[in-house]
mmCIF file with all atom_site columns, all heavy atoms in Angstrom:
data_model
loop_
_atom_site.group_PDB
_atom_site.id
_atom_site.type_symbol
_atom_site.label_atom_id
_atom_site.label_alt_id
_atom_site.label_comp_id
_atom_site.label_asym_id
_atom_site.label_entity_id
_atom_site.label_seq_id
_atom_site.pdbx_PDB_ins_code
_atom_site.Cartn_x
_atom_site.Cartn_y
_atom_site.Cartn_z
_atom_site.occupancy
_atom_site.B_iso_or_equiv
_atom_site.pdbx_formal_charge
_atom_site.auth_seq_id
_atom_site.auth_comp_id
_atom_site.auth_asym_id
_atom_site.auth_atom_id
_atom_site.pdbx_PDB_model_num
ATOM 1   N N   . HIS U 1 177 ? -19.305 -58.297 -19.391 1.00 98.00 ? 177 HIS U N   1
ATOM 2   C CA  . HIS U 1 177 ? -18.266 -59.202 -19.860 1.00 98.00 ? 177 HIS U CA  1
ATOM 3   C C   . HIS U 1 177 ? -18.092 -58.943 -21.360 1.00 98.00 ? 177 HIS U C   1
ATOM 4   O O   . HIS U 1 177 ? -18.996 -58.386 -22.007 1.00 98.00 ? 177 HIS U O   1
ATOM 5   C CB  . HIS U 1 177 ? -18.661 -60.646 -19.600 1.00 98.00 ? 177 HIS U CB  1
ATOM 6   C CG  . HIS U 1 177 ? -18.966 -60.930 -18.162 1.00 98.00 ? 177 HIS U CG  1
ATOM 7   N ND1 . HIS U 1 177 ? -18.000 -61.011 -17.194 1.00 98.00 ? 177 HIS U ND1 1
ATOM 8   C CD2 . HIS U 1 177 ? -20.158 -61.114 -17.525 1.00 98.00 ? 177 HIS U CD2 1
ATOM 9   C CE1 . HIS U 1 177 ? -18.551 -61.252 -16.021 1.00 98.00 ? 177 HIS U CE1 1
ATOM 10  N NE2 . HIS U 1 177 ? -19.871 -61.316 -16.191 1.00 98.00 ? 177 HIS U NE2 1
ATOM 11  N N   . THR U 1 178 ? -16.958 -59.353 -21.923 1.00 98.00 ? 178 THR U N   1
ATOM 12  C CA  . THR U 1 178 ? -16.686 -59.047 -23.329 1.00 98.00 ? 178 THR U CA  1
ATOM 13  C C   . THR U 1 178 ? -16.145 -60.260 -24.075 1.00 98.00 ? 178 THR U C   1
ATOM 14  O O   . THR U 1 178 ? -15.465 -61.114 -23.492 1.00 98.00 ? 178 THR U O   1
ATOM 15  C CB  . THR U 1 178 ? -15.673 -57.898 -23.467 1.00 98.00 ? 178 THR U CB  1
ATOM 16  O OG1 . THR U 1 178 ? -14.476 -58.232 -22.742 1.00 98.00 ? 178 THR U OG1 1
ATOM 17  C CG2 . THR U 1 178 ? -16.237 -56.592 -22.924 1.00 98.00 ? 178 THR U CG2 1
ATOM 18  N N   . ALA U 1 179 ? -16.445 -60.298 -25.376 1.00 98.00 ? 179 ALA U N   1
ATOM 19  C CA  . ALA U 1 179 ? -15.903 -61.340 -26.253 1.00 98.00 ? 179 ALA U CA  1
ATOM 20  C C   . ALA U 1 179 ? -15.535 -60.714 -27.587 1.00 98.00 ? 179 ALA U C   1
ATOM 21  O O   . ALA U 1 179 ? -16.347 -60.019 -28.200 1.00 98.00 ? 179 ALA U O   1
ATOM 22  C CB  . ALA U 1 179 ? -16.924 -62.457 -26.465 1.00 98.00 ? 179 ALA U CB  1
ATOM 23  N N   . GLY U 1 180 ? -14.301 -60.944 -28.015 1.00 98.00 ? 180 GLY U N   1
ATOM 24  C CA  . GLY U 1 180 ? -13.887 -60.528 -29.343 1.00 98.00 ? 180 GLY U CA  1
ATOM 25  C C   . GLY U 1 180 ? -14.103 -61.667 -30.320 1.00 98.00 ? 180 GLY U C   1
ATOM 26  O O   . GLY U 1 180 ? -14.271 -62.827 -29.916 1.00 98.00 ? 180 GLY U O   1
ATOM 27  N N   . VAL U 1 181 ? -14.124 -61.349 -31.613 1.00 98.00 ? 181 VAL U N   1
ATOM 28  C CA  . VAL U 1 181 ? -14.268 -62.398 -32.635 1.00 98.00 ? 181 VAL U CA  1
ATOM 29  C C   . VAL U 1 181 ? -12.975 -62.462 -33.442 1.00 98.00 ? 181 VAL U C   1
ATOM 30  O O   . VAL U 1 181 ? -12.452 -61.443 -33.901 1.00 98.00 ? 181 VAL U O   1
ATOM 31  C CB  . VAL U 1 181 ? -15.485 -62.143 -33.547 1.00 98.00 ? 181 VAL U CB  1
ATOM 32  C CG1 . VAL U 1 181 ? -16.771 -62.188 -32.718 1.00 98.00 ? 181 VAL U CG1 1
ATOM 33  C CG2 . VAL U 1 181 ? -15.391 -60.820 -34.289 1.00 98.00 ? 181 VAL U CG2 1
ATOM 34  N N   . ALA U 1 182 ? -12.452 -63.676 -33.595 1.00 97.00 ? 182 ALA U N   1
ATOM 35  C CA  . ALA U 1 182 ? -11.152 -63.868 -34.245 1.00 97.00 ? 182 ALA U CA  1
ATOM 36  C C   . ALA U 1 182 ? -11.191 -63.539 -35.729 1.00 97.00 ? 182 ALA U C   1
ATOM 37  O O   . ALA U 1 182 ? -10.145 -63.340 -36.346 1.00 97.00 ? 182 ALA U O   1
ATOM 38  C CB  . ALA U 1 182 ? -10.674 -65.303 -34.030 1.00 97.00 ? 182 ALA U CB  1
ATOM 39  N N   . TRP U 1 183 ? -12.414 -63.471 -36.311 1.00 97.00 ? 183 TRP U N   1
ATOM 40  C CA  . TRP U 1 183 ? -12.519 -63.167 -37.747 1.00 97.00 ? 183 TRP U CA  1
ATOM 41  C C   . TRP U 1 183 ? -12.529 -61.660 -38.023 1.00 97.00 ? 183 TRP U C   1
ATOM 42  O O   . TRP U 1 183 ? -12.774 -61.226 -39.143 1.00 97.00 ? 183 TRP U O   1
ATOM 43  C CB  . TRP U 1 183 ? -13.755 -63.825 -38.349 1.00 97.00 ? 183 TRP U CB  1
ATOM 44  C CG  . TRP U 1 183 ? -15.053 -63.549 -37.647 1.00 97.00 ? 183 TRP U CG  1
ATOM 45  C CD1 . TRP U 1 183 ? -15.930 -62.530 -37.909 1.00 97.00 ? 183 TRP U CD1 1
ATOM 46  C CD2 . TRP U 1 183 ? -15.640 -64.304 -36.590 1.00 97.00 ? 183 TRP U CD2 1
ATOM 47  N NE1 . TRP U 1 183 ? -17.013 -62.587 -37.075 1.00 97.00 ? 183 TRP U NE1 1
ATOM 48  C CE2 . TRP U 1 183 ? -16.873 -63.677 -36.250 1.00 97.00 ? 183 TRP U CE2 1
ATOM 49  C CE3 . TRP U 1 183 ? -15.256 -65.453 -35.883 1.00 97.00 ? 183 TRP U CE3 1
ATOM 50  C CZ2 . TRP U 1 183 ? -17.700 -64.159 -35.241 1.00 97.00 ? 183 TRP U CZ2 1
ATOM 51  C CZ3 . TRP U 1 183 ? -16.078 -65.932 -34.873 1.00 97.00 ? 183 TRP U CZ3 1
ATOM 52  C CH2 . TRP U 1 183 ? -17.288 -65.298 -34.563 1.00 97.00 ? 183 TRP U CH2 1
ATOM 53  N N   . THR U 1 184 ? -12.250 -60.838 -37.025 1.00 95.00 ? 184 THR U N   1
ATOM 54  C CA  . THR U 1 184 ? -12.207 -59.395 -37.238 1.00 95.00 ? 184 THR U CA  1
ATOM 55  C C   . THR U 1 184 ? -11.210 -59.020 -38.332 1.00 95.00 ? 184 THR U C   1
ATOM 56  O O   . THR U 1 184 ? -10.093 -59.556 -38.372 1.00 95.00 ? 184 THR U O   1
ATOM 57  C CB  . THR U 1 184 ? -11.834 -58.646 -35.942 1.00 95.00 ? 184 THR U CB  1
ATOM 58  O OG1 . THR U 1 184 ? -11.582 -57.270 -36.251 1.00 95.00 ? 184 THR U OG1 1
ATOM 59  C CG2 . THR U 1 184 ? -10.573 -59.226 -35.288 1.00 95.00 ? 184 THR U CG2 1
ATOM 60  N N   . VAL U 1 185 ? -11.610 -58.110 -39.182 1.00 92.00 ? 185 VAL U N   1
ATOM 61  C CA  . VAL U 1 185 ? -10.743 -57.659 -40.269 1.00 92.00 ? 185 VAL U CA  1
ATOM 62  C C   . VAL U 1 185 ? -9.544  -56.890 -39.725 1.00 92.00 ? 185 VAL U C   1
ATOM 63  O O   . VAL U 1 185 ? -8.527  -56.744 -40.406 1.00 92.00 ? 185 VAL U O   1
ATOM 64  C CB  . VAL U 1 185 ? -11.554 -56.795 -41.270 1.00 92.00 ? 185 VAL U CB  1
ATOM 65  C CG1 . VAL U 1 185 ? -11.896 -55.436 -40.673 1.00 92.00 ? 185 VAL U CG1 1
ATOM 66  C CG2 . VAL U 1 185 ? -10.819 -56.641 -42.591 1.00 92.00 ? 185 VAL U CG2 1
ATOM 67  N N   . LYS U 1 186 ? -9.645  -56.421 -38.482 1.00 89.00 ? 186 LYS U N   1
ATOM 68  C CA  . LYS U 1 186 ? -8.525  -55.693 -37.862 1.00 89.00 ? 186 LYS U CA  1
ATOM 69  C C   . LYS U 1 186 ? -7.395  -56.630 -37.415 1.00 89.00 ? 186 LYS U C   1
ATOM 70  O O   . LYS U 1 186 ? -6.290  -56.181 -37.136 1.00 89.00 ? 186 LYS U O   1
ATOM 71  C CB  . LYS U 1 186 ? -9.025  -54.898 -36.649 1.00 89.00 ? 186 LYS U CB  1
ATOM 72  C CG  . LYS U 1 186 ? -10.107 -53.861 -36.948 1.00 89.00 ? 186 LYS U CG  1
ATOM 73  C CD  . LYS U 1 186 ? -9.577  -52.695 -37.747 1.00 89.00 ? 186 LYS U CD  1
ATOM 74  C CE  . LYS U 1 186 ? -10.612 -51.630 -37.994 1.00 89.00 ? 186 LYS U CE  1
ATOM 75  N NZ  . LYS U 1 186 ? -10.864 -50.750 -36.882 1.00 89.00 ? 186 LYS U NZ  1
ATOM 76  N N   . GLY U 1 187 ? -7.707  -57.943 -37.307 1.00 92.00 ? 187 GLY U N   1
ATOM 77  C CA  . GLY U 1 187 ? -6.736  -58.900 -36.783 1.00 92.00 ? 187 GLY U CA  1
ATOM 78  C C   . GLY U 1 187 ? -6.981  -59.144 -35.304 1.00 92.00 ? 187 GLY U C   1
ATOM 79  O O   . GLY U 1 187 ? -7.123  -58.202 -34.529 1.00 92.00 ? 187 GLY U O   1
ATOM 80  N N   . ARG U 1 188 ? -7.041  -60.404 -34.913 1.00 95.00 ? 188 ARG U N   1
ATOM 81  C CA  . ARG U 1 188 ? -7.403  -60.751 -33.534 1.00 95.00 ? 188 ARG U CA  1
ATOM 82  C C   . ARG U 1 188 ? -6.441  -60.156 -32.515 1.00 95.00 ? 188 ARG U C   1
ATOM 83  O O   . ARG U 1 188 ? -6.818  -59.867 -31.379 1.00 95.00 ? 188 ARG U O   1
ATOM 84  C CB  . ARG U 1 188 ? -7.500  -62.264 -33.360 1.00 95.00 ? 188 ARG U CB  1
ATOM 85  C CG  . ARG U 1 188 ? -6.189  -63.023 -33.498 1.00 95.00 ? 188 ARG U CG  1
ATOM 86  C CD  . ARG U 1 188 ? -6.403  -64.518 -33.340 1.00 95.00 ? 188 ARG U CD  1
ATOM 87  N NE  . ARG U 1 188 ? -6.803  -64.868 -31.991 1.00 95.00 ? 188 ARG U NE  1
ATOM 88  C CZ  . ARG U 1 188 ? -7.403  -66.023 -31.660 1.00 95.00 ? 188 ARG U CZ  1
ATOM 89  N NH1 . ARG U 1 188 ? -7.694  -66.895 -32.594 1.00 95.00 ? 188 ARG U NH1 1
ATOM 90  N NH2 . ARG U 1 188 ? -7.723  -66.271 -30.411 1.00 95.00 ? 188 ARG U NH2 1
ATOM 91  N N   . GLU U 1 189 ? -5.164  -59.948 -32.918 1.00 97.00 ? 189 GLU U N   1
ATOM 92  C CA  . GLU U 1 189 ? -4.177  -59.404 -31.992 1.00 97.00 ? 189 GLU U CA  1
ATOM 93  C C   . GLU U 1 189 ? -4.584  -58.021 -31.476 1.00 97.00 ? 189 GLU U C   1
ATOM 94  O O   . GLU U 1 189 ? -4.297  -57.667 -30.330 1.00 97.00 ? 189 GLU U O   1
ATOM 95  C CB  . GLU U 1 189 ? -2.797  -59.321 -32.669 1.00 97.00 ? 189 GLU U CB  1
ATOM 96  C CG  . GLU U 1 189 ? -2.233  -60.661 -33.122 1.00 97.00 ? 189 GLU U CG  1
ATOM 97  C CD  . GLU U 1 189 ? -2.803  -61.135 -34.444 1.00 97.00 ? 189 GLU U CD  1
ATOM 98  O OE1 . GLU U 1 189 ? -3.521  -60.332 -35.088 1.00 97.00 ? 189 GLU U OE1 1
ATOM 99  O OE2 . GLU U 1 189 ? -2.545  -62.286 -34.822 1.00 97.00 ? 189 GLU U OE2 1
ATOM 100 N N   . VAL U 1 190 ? -5.246  -57.253 -32.342 1.00 95.00 ? 190 VAL U N   1
ATOM 101 C CA  . VAL U 1 190 ? -5.691  -55.904 -31.954 1.00 95.00 ? 190 VAL U CA  1
ATOM 102 C C   . VAL U 1 190 ? -6.689  -55.987 -30.803 1.00 95.00 ? 190 VAL U C   1
ATOM 103 O O   . VAL U 1 190 ? -6.633  -55.210 -29.846 1.00 95.00 ? 190 VAL U O   1
ATOM 104 C CB  . VAL U 1 190 ? -6.317  -55.166 -33.161 1.00 95.00 ? 190 VAL U CB  1
ATOM 105 C CG1 . VAL U 1 190 ? -6.932  -53.834 -32.736 1.00 95.00 ? 190 VAL U CG1 1
ATOM 106 C CG2 . VAL U 1 190 ? -5.281  -54.944 -34.247 1.00 95.00 ? 190 VAL U CG2 1
#
Side-chain angles (χ1 to χ4, degrees):
H177 304 287
T178 55
V181 297
W183 53 91
T184 170
V185 72
K186 301 291 183 79
R188 67 181 293 161
E189 299 81 9
V190 173

